[in-house]
Amino acid sequence: MAAKCGTLCRVTDDIRSTYDVVVVGGGPAGYAAALWLARYRRRTLLIEDGTHRNRSVEQTHGYLGMDGATPSEVLARARKDLAAYPEVETARGSVAALRQVDGLFEVDLGDRVVTCLRLVLATGAADTPPDIAGFDVHYGASVFTCPSCDGYESRGCDVVTIGWNDGLADFSLHLLEWAKSVTIITDGHRFDGDDEAWQSLAEANIVVVEDGAESFIGERGALTGVRLRSGEVVPTDVAFFSIAVTARAELAVMLGCETNDDGYIVVDDDCLTSVPGVYAAGDMTPGPHLVQVAAAEGAVAGFSCARSLKRKRNEDGSTSLH
């Protein structure tokens, strides 16, 4: 039997298969959502699979109060904060399927199924990395994907950008806010930029090299260049890549949530999706992919979700949510 107290208390697993809210995703957005749900005393299960987008990055930048912390430090602090709230459970694992049945959401975890009144999805996005030898060695130390997040650390440096899509021109020009020089390597693809893009790059002295990239040169934290298939080495201190970013939206799509043309989940100002009772936040929704933005959106989703659940008093004097 659950203990009687002034706040919601943890109870045994055999009677906690039903939650007020399940949060799927354990990044800044998911943890921020769970924190606000806890503060509204909503019985919450947070599920994370550990495949965080920036888990290999050495420093997180631009997050007020935690600038320079590693992503693991940010999440460790989030877990510590959340552990103070008995209203929230966390579970490591992945969600196999989501279903809506008789006004409840069923969350299939493979080995068990839990139900809830509301869902918050914060499953993030995934970057397509370049297929270049040494990428795993340098990613997160000298090779990055976000100019806004890591451009400051490239100030005064020779920078290479890797990609070939039509957005790479603006991506590369953006880096001139900090970099001494920028060179585009298309890894053997034809650059998709139009005449205006070519002209903008030429005016900024950005060279486009339509050759394949073979390997990154140097030790982790000491990148010195990118070796081309021709044998030529393009000197560089820092590299960025922009090939493709894909929202991890499979679960949201499974429920019928609306997506935009780029595959991101459409939400309103409360982070509510097109499916009533389902909220989404962070990199799986349109907007800047910044850690502080993800946390802010998670807070909005958690707050709005908590407020959407109304407490009523039952005839026996207990209360319940609906």
Side-chain angles (χ1 to χ4, degrees):
M1 178 178 292
K4 293 182 179 180
C5 59
T7 61
L8 296 178
C9 296
R10 292 188 186 276
V11 293
T12 56
D13 289 342
D14 59 338
I15 57 172
R16 278 205 64 177
S17 60
T18 298
Y19 298 85
D20 298 327
V21 184
V22 170
V23 178
V24 184
Y31 271 95
L35 180 65
W36 277 99
L37 288 162
R39 292 192 59 78
Y40 268 86
R41 299 190 304 152
R42 305 306 186 232
R43 195 169 61 191
T44 301
L45 174 66
L46 182 146
I47 303 165
E48 60 174 319
D49 63 9
T51 58
H52 306 295
R53 183 179 182 185
N54 292 321
R55 59 191 179 277
S56 298
V57 173
E58 293 184 350
Q59 291 187 324
T60 295
H61 298 123
Y63 195 165
L64 187 63
M66 298 200 74
D67 187 50
T70 67
S72 60
E73 288 171 339
V74 172
L75 293 179
R77 177 61 183 269
R79 293 186 185 104
K80 181 180 178 181
D81 289 348
L82 204 59
Y85 294 87
E87 294 82 2
V88 180
E89 282 186 30
T90 61
R92 179 62 66 91
S94 58
V95 176
L98 294 175
R99 295 176 290 272
Q100 193 167 13
V101 181
D102 297 330
L104 293 174
F105 296 100
E106 290 187 349
V107 183
D108 186 346
L109 299 176
D111 59 345
R112 62 177 175 138
V113 175
V114 300
T115 60
C116 57
L117 297 170
R118 301 284 191 275
L119 279 171
V120 177
L121 303 178
T123 47
D127 299 290
T128 298
D131 185 14
I132 301 173
F135 172 79
D136 291 339
V137 172
H138 292 280
Y139 179 57
S142 300
V143 178
F144 307 100
T145 188
C146 176
S148 298
C149 302
D150 298 291
Y152 183 83
E153 282 63 42
S154 71
R155 61 195 184 280
C157 294
D158 293 313
V159 171
V160 158
T161 58
I162 300 165
W164 53 88
N165 61 60
D166 58 0
L168 194 68
D170 286 339
F171 183 94
S172 301
L173 289 164
H174 187 186
L175 279 159
L176 287 177
E177 293 280 352
W178 307 279
K180 179 174 67 176
S181 70
V182 176
T183 301
I184 292 174
I185 298 176
T186 68
D187 198 18
H189 296 263
R190 184 176 182 276
F191 178 54
D192 289 339
D194 58 17
D195 290 344
E196 183 178 352
W198 279 101
Q199 181 177 348
S200 297
L201 293 173
E203 291 173 353
N205 295 317
I206 294 177
V207 176
V208 178
V209 180
E210 291 183 328
D211 193 358
E214 184 176 271
S215 61
F216 291 103
I217 302 172
E219 303 294 326
R220 182 172 178 85
L223 181 67
T224 60
V226 177
R227 188 182 305 280
L228 305 179
R229 290 175 192 153
S230 64
E232 179 186 354
V233 173
V234 179
T236 186
D237 307 297
V238 182
F240 288 80
F241 65 97
S242 178
I243 297 171
V245 181
T246 306
R248 297 178 63 187
E250 298 87 353
L251 295 175
V253 171
M254 193 179 293
L255 289 170
C257 297
E258 180 186 354
T259 62
N260 67 10
D261 292 341
D262 295 319
Y264 293 97
I265 302 303
V266 175
V267 294
D268 65 12
D269 290 343
D270 292 328
C271 290
L272 180 65
T273 72
S274 61
V275 176
V278 180
Y279 296 77
D283 290 354
M284 68 184 302
T285 64
H289 288 187
L290 303 175
V291 63
Q292 191 147 352
V293 171
E297 290 178 355
V300 171
F303 171 84
S304 302
C305 180
R307 291 289 301 268
S308 76
L309 289 164
K310 307 302 180 185
R311 192 175 295 280
K312 68 176 181 179
R313 188 166 297 280
N314 303 315
E315 291 182 0
D316 62 2
S318 63
T319 63
S320 60
L321 294 170
H322 64 98

